[in-house]
Structure formats: C-alpha cells, structure tokens
Amino acid sequence: MSIAYLTMDDGPSDITRDIIDYLTERGIKPIFFFTGQHIEKKMEEGVYALKKGAIIGNHSYSHPNFEQLTLEQCISEVEKTEELINEIYQHAGVVRKFKLFRFPYGARKLKESEEFQEYLENQGFCKLEDTHITSEWYDREGLKEGVDVLWTYDFTEYRVHNDTSLTYEDFIARIYERKQESSELLLDEESRHIVLLHDHMETNAVIPRYYQKFLDYVMLHGVTFIKPEFQYLP
Ligand SMILES: [Zn+2]
C-alpha cells in the first residue's frame, strides 16, 4: 500500500463542484491550489469546495513563471491571491487554519529564493507534513527545506490540451514508468506521495470525469489518500 495526499491545481473552474462531490463520496480531502484570476471568475465554486471540506492553497494570481519575476512581483502575485482566498473563507464561513503556497509550473528556483522562502515563512505559510517522503529526488531538490508545496507524482493529464491523441490509457501507462519526477513509483509498496491532478475543464472535454477515472484506478491498485497534515517551520 502507498499513502498519498491529493492536490489539485489551477481552479476554480466549472467542474470544481463535480470534482469535490466525487472526492467527498470517496472520503478524500483535497488541497486545491487556486489562482487569483480564477477565483475572481468562479468565487462560488471555490466557496462550494471549501464548504465541502477542501483546503484552499495559493497558486499565484496569474500563473506566471516565478523564476522570471522580481521578488516584488512574486510577492504581489501571492498577496493579491491571499486576499481572494481570505474572501472565499469568509463567504463560506470557514475559519482558515493553514496558508499554503505552490509555485506555478513548480518553477521554484528563484534568484532570490531564500528571500522569497523567508517571506512565506514570515507570513505564516506552512508546509505539508513531508517527513515520511523517502524519495531521493525529493531530498536532492531540497524540497524538505522549502515552505512551498511541490509534488512527487504529477499525472500530467493537462497535456491533452495540446495533444488530443493522448488517451486515458497513456496516462495509466505513465504511472508505471520509472523515469518520473520521483525515484519512487506511485504504486510502490510503503511509498509516500504528494499527488498532483489539475482542475481543468479542457481535460474533462477530452477525457470525461478524468479525475474519477485516474483516482479510482490508483486506489484500486493500492494507493490510500489521507487527510493533509501540516508542519510549521521552526
Ligand atoms: Zn498550475
């Protein structure tokens, strides 16, 4: 059996309600990393997800590559979205306990990386409890030191936007390839993961209910999704 947290990026969207309804049915508590610009368009969907027990994290305002921004621009992207996330929590009447951040594209090698991480820490951002993740790759990339939240397995299902010849079976086959981000496979016994799927209507148009198909598959093959736990840096 392997144990995983579920994260879903880039929402909210028109399918957020369906996603959270399905996850609730399966007893999975996800972290949604929303962008500010999508929250502005789909505030009610965000509120709905939150009321159903999702945790909302910050995925920037406009989804830029942070490696190409100045420190000030990075901070402004985070702050604009923080305000919108606080608004969702207020509308939903839910107390916000955790502040989480994920870099767009996972592009986290900023020139002023230390300063940015310090900023996150000072603002009270916390990280996912990842002390049990044993992947060499995760250690090598310094992911245990950062406050930001990355992932160990990305389904990369968003690639169907540009290549509609890709099928459900292609993404299932990828689960078994040993050259993914992590040196451990998602289905390896005793492994621990942070799984990434995306909240994308475009994917749903090509592979309807893709999130259900992928998650039901991996759960059937030994993955158990657990409730997110957090860790504050000392
Ligand atoms: Zn993203």
Side-chain angles (χ1 to χ4, degrees), residues 89-135:
Y89 274 85
Q90 261 169 19
H91 282 312
V94 175
V95 177
R96 189 176 180 198
K97 292 188 196 143
F98 309 105
K99 290 169 78 170
L100 299 159
F101 175 75
R102 172 173 279 164
F103 288 104
Y105 314 104
R108 60 192 299 286
K109 290 178 179 147
L110 276 55
K111 276 185 228 95
E112 292 164 292
S113 181
E114 245 172 74
E115 289 84 351
F116 184 71
Q117 292 284 348
E118 227 175 82
Y119 160 79
L120 291 178
E121 215 177 311
N122 291 338
Q123 293 299 311
F125 280 81
C126 59
K127 61 183 286 166
L128 266 176
E129 169 61 53
D130 62 359
T131 45
H132 295 100
I133 292 175
T134 52
S135 151

Coordinates of all heavy atoms in Angstrom, one line a residue, residues 89-135:
Y89 N -12.9 32.1 2.2 CA -13.1 31.5 3.5 C -14.2 32.3 4.2 O -15.1 31.7 4.9 CB -11.8 31.5 4.3 CG -11.0 30.3 4.1 CD1 -10.1 30.2 3.0 CD2 -11.0 29.2 4.9 CE1 -9.3 29.1 2.8 CE2 -10.3 28.0 4.7 CZ -9.4 28.0 3.6 OH -8.7 26.9 3.4
Q90 N -14.2 33.6 4.1 CA -15.2 34.4 4.7 C -16.6 34.1 4.2 O -17.6 33.9 5.0 CB -15.0 35.9 4.5 CG -14.2 36.6 5.6 CD -13.7 38.0 5.2 OE1 -14.2 38.5 4.2 NE2 -12.8 38.5 5.9
H91 N -16.8 34.0 2.9 CA -18.1 33.7 2.3 C -18.6 32.4 2.7 O -19.7 32.1 2.9 CB -18.0 33.7 0.7 CG -17.9 35.1 0.1 ND1 -18.8 36.0 0.5 CD2 -17.1 35.6 -0.8 CE1 -18.6 37.1 -0.2 NE2 -17.5 36.9 -1.0
A92 N -17.6 31.4 2.9 CA -18.0 30.1 3.2 C -18.3 29.9 4.7 O -18.8 28.9 5.2 CB -16.9 29.1 2.8
G93 N -17.8 30.9 5.5 CA -18.0 30.9 7.0 C -17.1 29.8 7.6 O -17.4 29.2 8.6
V94 N -15.9 29.6 6.9 CA -15.0 28.6 7.4 C -13.7 29.4 7.9 O -13.3 30.3 7.3 CB -14.6 27.6 6.3 CG1 -13.5 26.7 6.7 CG2 -15.8 26.9 5.8
V95 N -13.2 28.9 9.1 CA -12.0 29.5 9.6 C -10.8 29.0 8.9 O -10.7 27.8 8.7 CB -11.9 29.2 11.2 CG1 -10.6 29.8 11.7 CG2 -13.1 29.8 11.9
R96 N -9.9 29.9 8.4 CA -8.7 29.5 7.7 C -7.6 29.1 8.7 O -7.1 29.9 9.4 CB -8.3 30.6 6.7 CG -7.2 30.1 5.8 CD -6.9 31.2 4.8 NE -5.8 30.7 3.9 CZ -5.1 31.5 3.2 NH1 -5.3 32.8 3.2 NH2 -4.2 31.0 2.4
K97 N -7.2 27.8 8.6 CA -6.2 27.4 9.6 C -4.8 27.3 9.0 O -3.8 27.4 9.7 CB -6.6 26.0 10.1 CG -7.8 26.0 11.0 CD -7.9 24.6 11.7 CE -9.3 24.4 12.2 NZ -9.7 23.0 12.0
F98 N -4.8 27.1 7.6 CA -3.5 26.9 7.0 C -3.3 27.8 5.8 O -4.2 27.9 5.0 CB -3.4 25.4 6.6 CG -3.7 24.5 7.7 CD1 -4.9 23.8 7.7 CD2 -2.8 24.3 8.7 CE1 -5.2 22.9 8.7 CE2 -3.1 23.4 9.8 CZ -4.3 22.7 9.8
K99 N -2.1 28.3 5.7 CA -1.7 29.1 4.5 C -0.7 28.2 3.7 O 0.3 27.8 4.3 CB -1.1 30.4 4.8 CG -2.1 31.4 5.4 CD -1.5 32.6 6.0 CE -1.1 33.6 5.0 NZ -0.6 34.9 5.6
L100 N -1.0 27.9 2.5 CA -0.1 27.1 1.7 C 0.2 27.7 0.3 O -0.7 28.4 -0.2 CB -0.8 25.7 1.4 CG -1.2 24.9 2.6 CD1 -2.2 23.9 2.3 CD2 0.1 24.2 3.2
F101 N 1.4 27.5 -0.2 CA 1.7 28.1 -1.5 C 2.4 27.0 -2.4 O 3.2 26.3 -2.0 CB 2.7 29.2 -1.3 CG 3.2 29.8 -2.6 CD1 2.3 30.6 -3.4 CD2 4.4 29.5 -3.1 CE1 2.7 31.1 -4.6 CE2 4.9 30.0 -4.3 CZ 4.0 30.8 -5.1
R102 N 2.0 27.1 -3.7 CA 2.6 26.2 -4.7 C 3.0 27.1 -5.9 O 2.2 27.9 -6.4 CB 1.7 25.1 -5.1 CG 2.3 24.3 -6.3 CD 1.5 23.1 -6.7 NE 1.8 22.0 -5.8 CZ 1.0 20.9 -5.7 NH1 -0.1 20.8 -6.3 NH2 1.4 19.9 -4.9
F103 N 4.3 27.0 -6.3 CA 4.7 27.7 -7.5 C 4.0 27.2 -8.8 O 3.9 26.0 -9.0 CB 6.2 27.5 -7.7 CG 7.1 28.2 -6.7 CD1 7.7 27.4 -5.7 CD2 7.3 29.5 -6.8 CE1 8.5 28.1 -4.7 CE2 8.2 30.2 -5.9 CZ 8.8 29.4 -4.8
P104 N 3.6 28.2 -9.6 CA 3.1 27.8 -11.0 C 4.2 27.0 -11.7 O 5.4 27.4 -11.6 CB 2.8 29.1 -11.7 CG 2.6 30.1 -10.6 CD 3.5 29.6 -9.4
Y105 N 3.9 25.9 -12.4 CA 4.8 25.1 -13.1 C 5.8 24.4 -12.2 O 6.8 23.8 -12.7 CB 5.6 25.8 -14.2 CG 4.7 26.7 -15.1 CD1 4.7 28.1 -14.9 CD2 3.8 26.2 -16.0 CE1 3.8 28.9 -15.7 CE2 3.0 27.0 -16.8 CZ 3.0 28.3 -16.6 OH 2.2 29.1 -17.3
G106 N 5.7 24.5 -10.9 CA 6.7 24.0 -10.0 C 8.0 24.8 -10.2 O 9.1 24.3 -9.7
A107 N 8.0 25.9 -10.8 CA 9.3 26.7 -11.1 C 9.7 27.4 -9.8 O 9.2 28.5 -9.5 CB 9.0 27.7 -12.2
R108 N 10.5 26.8 -9.0 CA 10.8 27.3 -7.7 C 12.3 27.7 -7.5 O 12.7 28.1 -6.4 CB 10.4 26.2 -6.6 CG 11.1 24.9 -6.8 CD 10.5 23.8 -5.9 NE 10.5 24.1 -4.5 CZ 11.6 24.0 -3.7 NH1 12.7 23.7 -4.2 NH2 11.5 24.3 -2.4
K109 N 13.1 27.7 -8.6 CA 14.5 28.1 -8.4 C 14.6 29.6 -8.7 O 15.2 30.0 -9.7 CB 15.3 27.3 -9.4 CG 15.4 25.8 -8.8 CD 16.1 24.9 -9.7 CE 16.1 23.5 -9.0 NZ 16.1 22.4 -9.9
L110 N 14.1 30.4 -7.8 CA 14.2 31.9 -8.0 C 15.6 32.4 -7.7 O 16.3 31.8 -6.9 CB 13.3 32.5 -6.9 CG 11.8 32.7 -7.3 CD1 11.2 31.4 -7.7 CD2 11.1 33.3 -6.1
K111 N 16.0 33.5 -8.3 CA 17.3 34.1 -8.0 C 17.3 34.5 -6.5 O 18.3 34.3 -5.8 CB 17.5 35.4 -8.8 CG 18.1 35.0 -10.2 CD 18.4 36.3 -11.0 CE 17.9 36.2 -12.4 NZ 16.6 36.8 -12.6
E112 N 16.1 35.0 -6.0 CA 16.1 35.4 -4.6 C 15.2 34.4 -3.8 O 14.3 34.7 -3.1 CB 15.5 36.8 -4.5 CG 16.4 37.8 -5.1 CD 15.7 39.2 -5.4 OE1 14.9 39.2 -6.3 OE2 16.1 40.1 -4.7
S113 N 15.6 33.1 -4.0 CA 14.9 32.0 -3.4 C 14.8 32.1 -1.9 O 13.7 31.9 -1.3 CB 15.5 30.7 -3.9 OG 14.8 29.7 -3.4
E114 N 16.0 32.4 -1.3 CA 16.0 32.4 0.1 C 15.1 33.5 0.7 O 14.3 33.3 1.6 CB 17.4 32.7 0.6 CG 18.1 31.6 1.4 CD 19.5 31.9 1.7 OE1 19.8 32.7 2.5 OE2 20.4 31.3 1.0
E115 N 15.1 34.7 0.0 CA 14.3 35.8 0.5 C 12.8 35.5 0.3 O 12.0 35.8 1.2 CB 14.6 37.1 -0.3 CG 16.0 37.7 0.0 CD 17.1 37.1 -0.8 OE1 16.9 36.0 -1.5 OE2 18.2 37.6 -0.8
F116 N 12.5 34.8 -0.8 CA 11.1 34.5 -1.0 C 10.6 33.5 0.0 O 9.5 33.6 0.6 CB 10.9 34.0 -2.4 CG 9.4 33.8 -2.7 CD1 8.5 34.8 -2.9 CD2 8.9 32.5 -2.9 CE1 7.2 34.6 -3.2 CE2 7.6 32.2 -3.1 CZ 6.7 33.3 -3.3
Q117 N 11.4 32.5 0.3 CA 11.0 31.4 1.3 C 10.9 32.1 2.6 O 10.0 31.7 3.4 CB 12.1 30.3 1.3 CG 12.1 29.5 0.1 CD 11.0 28.5 -0.1 OE1 10.2 28.2 0.9 NE2 10.9 27.9 -1.2
E118 N 11.8 33.0 2.9 CA 11.7 33.7 4.2 C 10.4 34.5 4.3 O 9.7 34.6 5.3 CB 12.9 34.7 4.3 CG 13.6 34.6 5.6 CD 14.8 35.5 5.5 OE1 14.7 36.8 5.7 OE2 15.9 35.0 5.3
Y119 N 10.0 35.2 3.2 CA 8.8 35.9 3.1 C 7.6 35.0 3.5 O 6.8 35.3 4.3 CB 8.6 36.5 1.7 CG 7.2 36.9 1.4 CD1 6.6 38.1 2.0 CD2 6.4 36.1 0.6 CE1 5.3 38.4 1.7 CE2 5.1 36.4 0.4 CZ 4.5 37.6 0.9 OH 3.2 37.9 0.7
L120 N 7.6 33.8 2.8 CA 6.5 32.9 3.1 C 6.4 32.5 4.5 O 5.3 32.5 5.1 CB 6.6 31.6 2.2 CG 6.5 31.7 0.7 CD1 6.7 30.4 0.0 CD2 5.1 32.2 0.3
E121 N 7.6 32.2 5.1 CA 7.6 31.8 6.5 C 7.1 32.9 7.4 O 6.3 32.7 8.3 CB 9.1 31.5 6.8 CG 9.2 30.4 7.8 CD 10.7 30.0 8.0 OE1 11.5 29.9 7.0 OE2 11.1 29.9 9.2
N122 N 7.6 34.2 7.1 CA 7.2 35.3 7.9 C 5.7 35.6 7.8 O 5.1 36.1 8.8 CB 8.0 36.6 7.5 CG 9.4 36.4 7.9 OD1 9.8 35.7 8.8 ND2 10.3 37.2 7.2
Q123 N 5.1 35.2 6.7 CA 3.7 35.4 6.5 C 2.8 34.3 7.1 O 1.6 34.3 6.9 CB 3.3 35.6 5.0 CG 3.9 36.8 4.3 CD 3.4 38.1 4.9 OE1 2.2 38.2 5.1 NE2 4.3 39.0 5.2
G124 N 3.5 33.3 7.7 CA 2.8 32.3 8.4 C 2.4 31.1 7.5 O 1.5 30.3 7.8
F125 N 3.0 31.0 6.3 CA 2.7 29.9 5.4 C 3.3 28.6 6.1 O 4.4 28.7 6.7 CB 3.3 30.1 4.0 CG 2.5 30.9 3.1 CD1 2.6 32.3 3.3 CD2 1.6 30.4 2.2 CE1 1.8 33.1 2.5 CE2 0.9 31.2 1.4 CZ 0.9 32.6 1.5
C126 N 2.7 27.5 5.9 CA 3.2 26.3 6.5 C 3.4 25.3 5.3 O 3.0 25.5 4.2 CB 2.3 25.7 7.6 SG 0.7 25.4 7.1
K127 N 4.0 24.2 5.6 CA 4.1 23.2 4.6 C 3.4 21.9 4.9 O 3.1 21.6 6.0 CB 5.6 22.9 4.3 CG 6.4 22.4 5.5 CD 7.9 22.3 5.1 CE 8.1 21.1 4.2 NZ 9.4 21.1 3.5
L128 N 3.2 21.1 3.9 CA 2.7 19.7 4.1 C 3.6 18.9 4.9 O 4.8 19.0 4.7 CB 2.4 19.1 2.8 CG 1.0 19.2 2.2 CD1 1.0 18.5 0.8 CD2 0.0 18.6 3.0
E129 N 3.1 18.1 5.8 CA 4.0 17.2 6.6 C 4.6 16.2 5.6 O 3.9 15.4 5.0 CB 3.1 16.5 7.6 CG 3.7 15.3 8.3 CD 4.9 15.7 9.1 OE1 4.9 16.6 9.9 OE2 6.0 15.0 8.9
D130 N 5.9 16.4 5.3 CA 6.5 15.5 4.3 C 7.7 14.7 4.8 O 8.5 14.2 4.1 CB 7.0 16.4 3.1 CG 8.0 17.4 3.5 OD1 8.4 17.5 4.6 OD2 8.4 18.2 2.6
T131 N 7.8 14.6 6.2 CA 9.0 13.9 6.7 C 9.0 12.4 6.3 O 10.1 11.8 6.4 CB 9.0 14.0 8.3 OG1 7.7 13.7 8.8 CG2 9.4 15.4 8.7
H132 N 7.9 11.9 5.9 CA 7.8 10.4 5.6 C 8.2 10.2 4.1 O 8.3 9.1 3.7 CB 6.5 9.8 5.9 CG 6.2 9.8 7.4 ND1 5.4 10.8 8.0 CD2 6.7 9.0 8.3 CE1 5.4 10.5 9.3 NE2 6.1 9.5 9.5
I133 N 8.3 11.3 3.3 CA 8.6 11.1 1.9 C 10.1 10.7 1.8 O 11.0 11.4 2.3 CB 8.3 12.3 1.1 CG1 6.7 12.5 1.1 CG2 8.8 12.2 -0.3 CD1 6.2 13.7 0.4
T134 N 10.3 9.5 1.2 CA 11.7 9.0 1.2 C 12.4 9.1 -0.1 O 13.5 8.6 -0.3 CB 11.7 7.5 1.7 OG1 10.7 6.8 0.8 CG2 11.2 7.3 3.1
S135 N 11.7 9.6 -1.1 CA 12.3 9.7 -2.4 C 13.6 10.5 -2.5 O 13.7 11.6 -1.9 CB 11.2 10.4 -3.4 OG 11.9 11.1 -4.4

